[in-house]
């Protein structure tokens, strides 16, 4: 492998140069107009690629060449070629080494605990689903970025982009045997396939809570109370975070007023959801494209600016579904005690095609962060799958923004690895009894680190006691063991005593 | 939104072939099982890790004829990259260890519970996915590591009420086969394929095994020697065959001595026929089995000291096991040890009149804040009987 400038000089003096793929482009651009004949060295030999003027912009002339080495190939052993695999996880995905995993577990435990206190039941579905679950034609971003492929049997499948369709499928599967309401939650990984130029993730975990079978906004209120409970548990307050609430019946009423077809409804919602991300002219032009007349566009955009119930009533009338539902929802919020968190904001529409009523979105105040969570009512999803219309509402809460928020607010705890006892044999001959001591302590419910590698000095052992925040250090030494005892150092008071193993277990 | 009717007939409500849904009851069982995996790992001071379910196919391109590699659930992503839904967790773990590089302090004691996938013809009605609990120790060359792992497996069984009358763990060491192959001067790079073939001894007839060995150029004299060696069941016989100073004998004896220290010796038995089907095991191998012989292997593992170097890193001692979520549940059902998992709440709160719904919400909120599991009745029209 050679660095770019050295490579260029070498090339120009007629040598064959091996470079890595990353270096190829700048080299091709800077090398003088000799041709670049690209060869790739694959595992089992050299295969010539086409002469590629595309790389350098100059026509191919035979002569010098650049060898692009993709992988080193040294056959070793019968398990296959030795090669340096890429140690990074696939693009857009994450590994969870111990520290990161402890944080994730803490986060998920909080998701679970809130769900549990609200008497919701956990469910799960396959991460792979049939593509048909997501073939909605409303222009949603989520559908345009499906991580889909054909499996070996030619079936069109996809890694799920969201959990709600799987939940709907499971509800349909249960059929008439199911007794409502259902209060289900899930924590699952969701995927999207997006160009990686923006450095965005391809996967994230999402906590969902859904209530199926309750037509009234009492269901939305339960969901919102759970979200607030979660924030509160983590030390977040209504000064930090708010939840914007609206109702798609507002838009529905506006569209009806202008005589727009109901099957444009979802597409309109998906477009106006992008109001904060796109310029007004773009929104206007997209609405125009789905056949919304200019007068209606005006009316829609106006309606989205409302921020008080009075204005809403003035526009739609006090008996409109949207108004009564919103008022009832806010009244219930007062009952729960979280009204300070909610804000009526007609601009909230959310980007999913299937919401039909209440919609809401958690956001960080005074912050550039994206939406923390979002949800709403979706009373007609099951019928689009061939079942009966069943009232349903739910939310999704991702694992990315919340962590950024907690970091911003300095509310993210540390997650050290901690044990109760460290057990070590001071002599190799005592390894076997040391194992027995560890076993008995573990059976008594202690978290025990047994030192199994050779050659550890006491200096290292004490460092470990600190690092693992151990409560006790238990040492087996030949003299003590001959008397049937072990040395126990209580690290909280820094006292060392001799005990029999029975005594050790008894005080554990 | 596409209007009602434009979707036509009902979608398929079953999950994709070979996969499972987890409605509440099944989820509670799964959570209970995984909590036991986690609790045992925690008591052993192992740290949990996780990796992506999608990995580059290159992680699994081993050429030893393993079933696991032949049934890879692989595909090309939209960028043309060859990827796979992982068939096992160990290569991801090795990748993560390599990633950490010199910064990593050994030994590592890591565990994971992750879903693994295979693509198989569905005629046999088999699953395409399962969850697997893995515990691995990286950086300890001695069999103290294998002993910790076996002690953890036994603790898990005991927690669930399973005893050594129900389940045993067969233990052997691939150095036995290695010694036999060396005796017949078989090439070292045939080692893994030989192991993968003889692993199938209890599934395929002997002549099929012999012919597969012949296909990879193992001479018939060696075939006999191999098959004979796999019948050994005592250390004395083992010593007679390969010598008392052999690595295999020393390691096995030391492992069984440590097992006595842990108090798990009743669970273990030396059985030279255990080889396991993964290409990368180099030393100790073991397998948990149902003593009634009705079920497939419950779990399996071993030492794999050269996996990291096949990925381009340095040889690092490592050993671990995989423990699936399917056979253990069948075993628990057989032994009537699977508990029930009802949905349980502390309080049910209900407004007897619609006008009191708001107050009821407040009551529920307060109770939940104090840590009670509260079912708030939010639907209308429920009678007292319900």
């Amino acid at each position: 492998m050679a660095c770019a400038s050295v490579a260029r000089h070498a090339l120009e003096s007629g040598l064959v140069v091996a470079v890595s793929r990353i270096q190829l482009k700048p080299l091709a651009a800077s090398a003088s107009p000799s041709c670049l004949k690209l060869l790739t060295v694959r595992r089992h030999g050299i295969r010539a690629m086409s002469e590629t003027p595309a790389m350098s912009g100059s026509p191919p002339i035979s002569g010098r060449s650049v060898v692009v080495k993709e992988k080193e190939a040294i056959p070793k052993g019968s398990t296959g070629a030795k090669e340096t695999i890429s140690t990074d996880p696939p693009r857009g995905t994450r590994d969870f080494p111990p520290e990161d995993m402890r944080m994730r577990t803490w986060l998920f435990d909080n998701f679970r605990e809130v769900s549990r206190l609200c008497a919701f039941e956990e469910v799960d579905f396959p991460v792979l689903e049939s593509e048909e679950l997501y073939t909605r034609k409303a222009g949603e971003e989520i559908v345009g970025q499906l991580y889909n492929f054909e499996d070996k049997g030619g079936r069109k499948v996809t890694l799920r982009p969201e959990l709600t369709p799987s939940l709907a499928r499971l509800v349909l599967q249960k059929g008439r045997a199911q007794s409502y309401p259902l209060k289900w939650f899930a924590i699952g990984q969701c995927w999207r396939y997006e160009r990686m130029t923006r450095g965005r993730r391809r996967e994230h975990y999402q906590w969902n809570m859904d209530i199926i079978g309750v037509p009234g906004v009492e269901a939305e209120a339960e969901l919102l109370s759970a979200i607030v409970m979660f924030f509160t548990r983590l030390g977040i307050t209504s000064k930090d975070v708010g939840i914007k609430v609206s109702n798609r019946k507002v838009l529905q009423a506006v569209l009806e007023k202008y005589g727009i077809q109901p099957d444009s409804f979802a597409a309109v919602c998906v477009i106006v959801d992008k109001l904060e991300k796109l310029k007004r002219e773009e929104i206007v032009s997209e609405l125009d494209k789905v056949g919304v007349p200019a007068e209606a566009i005006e009316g829609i955009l106006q309606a989205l600016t409302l921020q008080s119930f009075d204005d809403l009533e003035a526009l739609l009338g006090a008996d409109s579904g949207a108004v009564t539902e919103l008022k009832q929802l806010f009244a219930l919020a007062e009952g729960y005690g979280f009204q300070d968190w909610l804000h009526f904001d007609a601009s909230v529409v959310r980007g999913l095609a299937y919401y039909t009523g209440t919609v809401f979105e958690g956001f960080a105040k005074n912050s550039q962060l994206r939406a923390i969570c979002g949800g709403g009512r979706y009373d007609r999803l099951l019928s689009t799958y061939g079942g009966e219309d069943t009232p349903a509402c739910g939310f999704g809460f991702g694992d990315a923004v919340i962590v950024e928020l907690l970091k911003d607010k300095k509310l993210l705890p540390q997650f050290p690895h901690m044990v109760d006892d460290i057990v070590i044999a001071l002599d190799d001959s005592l390894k076997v009894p040391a194992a027995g001591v560890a076993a008995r302590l573990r059976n008594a419910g202690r978290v025990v680190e047994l030192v199994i590698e050779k050659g550890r000095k006491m200096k290292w052992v004490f460092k470990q006691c600190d690092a693992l925040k151990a409560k006790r250090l238990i040492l087996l030494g030949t003299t003590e063991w001959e008397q049937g005892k072990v040395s126990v150092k209580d690290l909280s008071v820094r006292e060392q005593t001799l005990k029999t193993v029975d005594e050790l277990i008894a005080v554990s | 939104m596409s209007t009602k009717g434009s979707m036509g007939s009902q979608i398929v409500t079953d999950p994709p072939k070979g996969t499972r849904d987890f409605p509440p009851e099944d989820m509670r069982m799964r959570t209970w099982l995984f909590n036991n995996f986690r609790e045992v790992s925690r008591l052993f001071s192992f740290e949990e890790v996780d990796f992506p379910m999608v990995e580059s196919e290159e992680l699994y391109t081993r050429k030893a004829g393993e079933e696991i590699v032949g049934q890879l659930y692989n595909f090309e992503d939209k960028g043309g990259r060859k990827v796979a839904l992982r068939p096992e967790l160990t290569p991801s773990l090795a990748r993560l260890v390599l990633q950490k590089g010199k910064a990593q302090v050994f030994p590592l004691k890591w565990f994971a519970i992750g879903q693994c996938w295979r693509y198989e013809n569905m005629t046999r009605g088999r699953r395409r996915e399962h969850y697997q609990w893995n515990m691995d120790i990286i950086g300890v060359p001695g069999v103290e590591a294998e002993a910790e792992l076996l002690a953890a497996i036994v603790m898990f069984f005991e927690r669930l009420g399973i005893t050594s009358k129900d389940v045993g763990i067969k233990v052997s060491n691939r150095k036995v086969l290695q010694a036999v192959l060396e005796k017949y001067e078989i090439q070292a790079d045939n080692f893994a394929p030989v192991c993968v073939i003889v692993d199938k001894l209890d599934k395929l007839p002997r002549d099929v095994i012999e012919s597969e060995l012949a296909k990879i150029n193992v001479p018939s004299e060696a075939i006999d020697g191999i098959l004979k060696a796999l019948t050994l069941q005592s250390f004395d016989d083992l010593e007679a065959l390969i010598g008392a100073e052999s690595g295999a004998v020393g390691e096995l004896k030391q492992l069984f001595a440590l097992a006595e220290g842990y108090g798990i010796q009743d669970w273990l038995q030396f059985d030279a026929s255990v080889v396991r089907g993964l290409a990368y095991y180099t030393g100790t191998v073991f397998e948990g089995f149902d003593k009634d012989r009705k079920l497939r292997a419950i779990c399996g593992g071993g030492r794999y000291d050269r996996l990291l170097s096949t990925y381009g890193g340095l040889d690092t001692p490592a050993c671990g096991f995989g423990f699936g979520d399917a056979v253990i549940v069948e075993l628990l059902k057989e032994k009537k040890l699977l508990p029930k998992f009802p949905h349980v709440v502390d309080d049910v709160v209900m407004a007897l009149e619609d006008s009191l719904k708001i107050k009821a919400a407040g009551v529920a909120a307060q109770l939940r804040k104090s840590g009670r599991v509260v079912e708030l009745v939010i639907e209308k029209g429920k009678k007292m009987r319900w």
Side-chain angles (χ1 to χ4, degrees), chain A residues 76 88 97 170 199 201 287 404 413 474 489 492:
Chain A
K76 175 173 174 165
D88 286 332
L170 185 55
R201 290 226 214 114
L287 284 171
E404 289 178 53
I474 294 146
K489 191 167 179 124
S492 56

Side-chain angles (χ1 to χ4, degrees), chain A residues 417-425 434 437-438 441-442 446-453 456 458 460-476 486-489 491 504, chain B residues 43 45 109:
Chain A
H417 174 49
M418 301 198 307
V419 307
D420 292 322
D421 303 318
I422 298 181
V423 173
I424 180 169
V437 172
L441 287 167
R442 287 164 177 161
R446 309 276 296 176
V447 176
V448 180
E449 173 82 28
L450 173 65
V451 179
I452 51 175
E453 64 277 23
R456 290 302 189 189
M458 281 317 292
W460 175 92
V461 174
F462 288 125
K463 265 178 84 178
Q464 277 297 84
C465 291
D466 282 341
L468 299 177
K469 308 210 186 312
K471 299 187 181 120
R472 301 188 304 194
L473 172 63
I474 294 146
L475 306 138
L476 279 81
V486 297
S487 186
V488 183
K489 191 167 179 124
L491 295 164
L504 181 66
Chain B
L43 292 170
S45 183
K109 299 177 190 176

Side-chain angles (χ1 to χ4, degrees), chain B residues 215-355:
Chain B
K215 273 193 209 125
I216 57 169
N217 298 323
V218 181
S220 53
E221 187 190 41
I223 293 179
D224 276 341
I226 290 168
L227 296 179
K228 195 139 207 280
L230 296 174
T231 62
L232 301 177
Q233 289 194 343
S234 81
F235 287 159
D236 289 340
D237 291 344
L238 188 60
E239 283 187 20
L241 182 70
I242 55 180
E245 351 68 59
S246 87
V249 173
E251 287 180 11
L252 284 163
K253 285 186 161 178
Q254 169 71 343
L255 181 56
F256 275 77
L258 285 161
E260 278 210 52
Y262 283 102
I264 63 170
Q265 68 277 12
D266 290 344
W267 292 75
L268 306 190
Q269 47 197 87
F270 166 59
D271 184 338
S273 71
V274 176
V275 163
R276 300 300 295 161
L278 291 169
Y280 48 71
Y281 289 135
T282 53
T284 312
V285 281
F286 52 85
E287 178 176 304
F289 69 100
D290 159 39
K291 286 191 168 169
D292 286 344
R293 306 213 166 263
K294 291 184 187 160
L295 304 171
R296 291 159 292 145
I298 304 165
C299 60
R303 179 163 284 279
Y304 52 96
D305 285 349
R306 280 200 281 283
L307 182 63
L308 267 68
S309 61
T310 67
Y311 287 154
L314 295 173
D315 266 339
T316 314
C319 59
F321 68 79
F323 195 128
D325 70 333
V327 183
I328 182 65
V329 171
E330 290 176 53
L331 178 76
L332 290 167
K333 285 179 179 168
E334 281 267 336
K335 306 284 173 193
K336 307 213 185 313
L337 286 169
L338 197 62
K340 298 237 164 261
F341 302 101
H343 176 51
V344 174
V345 306
D346 292 322
D347 303 317
V348 178
V349 172
M350 174 169 182
L352 291 173
E353 246 198 54
D354 274 5
S355 59

Side-chain angles (χ1 to χ4, degrees), chain A residues 78 102 121 124 146 266 449, chain B residues 1 22 28 45 47 189:
Chain A
S78 52
R102 282 191 289 271
E121 299 180 82
D124 197 11
L146 270 186
E449 173 82 28
Chain B
M1 182 91 201
F22 290 88
R28 282 191 287 272
S45 183
E47 298 181 84
D189 52 357

Side-chain angles (χ1 to χ4, degrees), chain A residues 43 71 76-79 81-91 93-99 101-102 104 116-119 121-129 132-133 136 146-149 151-153 155 159 169-170 172-174 180-181 183-184 189 191 193 202 205 211 214 218-219 222 225 229 263 266 331-332 335-336 353-354 383-387 417 419 431-432 435-436 439 442-443 445-450 452-454 456, chain B residues 1-4 7 10-17 19-25 27-28 30 42-45 47-56 58-59 61-64 72-75 77-79 81 85 95-96 98-100 106-107 109-110 117 119 128 131 137 140 144-145 148 155 188-193 257-258 261-262 279 309-313 343 345 357-358 361-362 365 368 371-376 378-380 382:
Chain A
R43 201 180 303 157
K71 293 174 179 171
K76 175 173 174 165
S78 52
T79 52
K82 174 191 166 101
E83 50 191 67
T84 308
I85 55 150
S86 168
T87 59
D88 286 332
R91 274 195 140 180
T93 67
R94 294 166 291 174
D95 285 319
F96 290 88
E99 325 70 50
M101 190 66 194
R102 282 191 289 271
R104 181 181 122 183
R116 191 186 76 94
L117 292 170
C118 293
E121 299 180 82
E122 190 168 2
V123 294
D124 197 11
F125 339 89
V127 74
L128 201 64
E129 290 270 21
E132 66 172 351
L133 233 54
R136 308 191 289 263
L146 270 186
Y147 197 126
N148 56 348
F149 59 93
D151 75 5
K152 293 198 208 187
R155 280 176 222 92
L159 294 178
R169 178 180 61 65
L170 185 55
L172 270 184
Q173 190 193 108
K174 297 263 169 194
Y180 294 117
K183 297 177 190 177
W184 287 357
Q189 194 173 34
W191 294 77
Y193 195 92
R202 282 204 171 131
Y205 282 86
I211 297 177
V214 175
E218 289 77 9
E222 272 280 85
S225 81
M229 197 188 300
D263 52 358
L332 284 160
Y336 282 100
Y354 48 71
S383 61
T384 66
Y385 287 154
H417 174 49
V419 307
K431 276 184 173 273
V432 170
R442 287 164 177 161
N443 279 322
R446 309 276 296 176
V447 176
V448 180
E449 173 82 28
L450 173 65
I452 51 175
E453 64 277 23
K454 291 184 179 13
R456 290 302 189 189
Chain B
M1 182 91 201
S2 37
T3 50
K4 179 171 179 172
M7 291 294 292
Q10 194 176 77
I11 54 151
V12 174
T13 58
D14 285 332
K17 272 195 143 176
T19 67
R20 293 165 292 173
D21 286 319
F22 290 88
E25 325 71 49
M27 191 64 194
R28 282 191 287 272
R30 181 182 121 182
R42 191 185 76 92
L43 292 170
F44 275 71
S45 183
E47 298 181 84
E48 190 167 2
V49 294
D50 198 10
F51 338 90
M53 191 148 14
V54 179
E55 290 270 22
S56 164
E58 63 173 355
L59 233 52
T61 47
R62 306 191 288 263
K63 304 259 189 298
L72 207 54
Y73 198 128
N74 55 348
F75 58 95
D77 75 7
K78 292 199 209 185
R81 279 176 222 93
L85 294 178
R95 177 180 63 64
L96 186 54
L98 271 183
Q99 188 193 109
K100 298 266 173 192
F106 294 118
K109 299 177 190 176
W110 286 357
W117 295 77
Y119 196 93
R128 282 204 173 131
Y131 282 85
I137 297 177
V140 176
E144 290 76 13
E148 274 278 89
M155 180 183 274
D189 52 357
N190 257 350
F191 180 62
L258 285 161
Y262 283 102
S309 61
T310 67
Y311 287 154
H343 176 51
V345 306
K357 274 184 176 268
I358 290 170
R368 287 164 178 167
R372 300 200 48 98
V373 176
V374 179
E375 172 85 33
L376 173 65
I378 51 175
E379 62 276 23
K380 291 187 176 13
K382 289 299 191 188

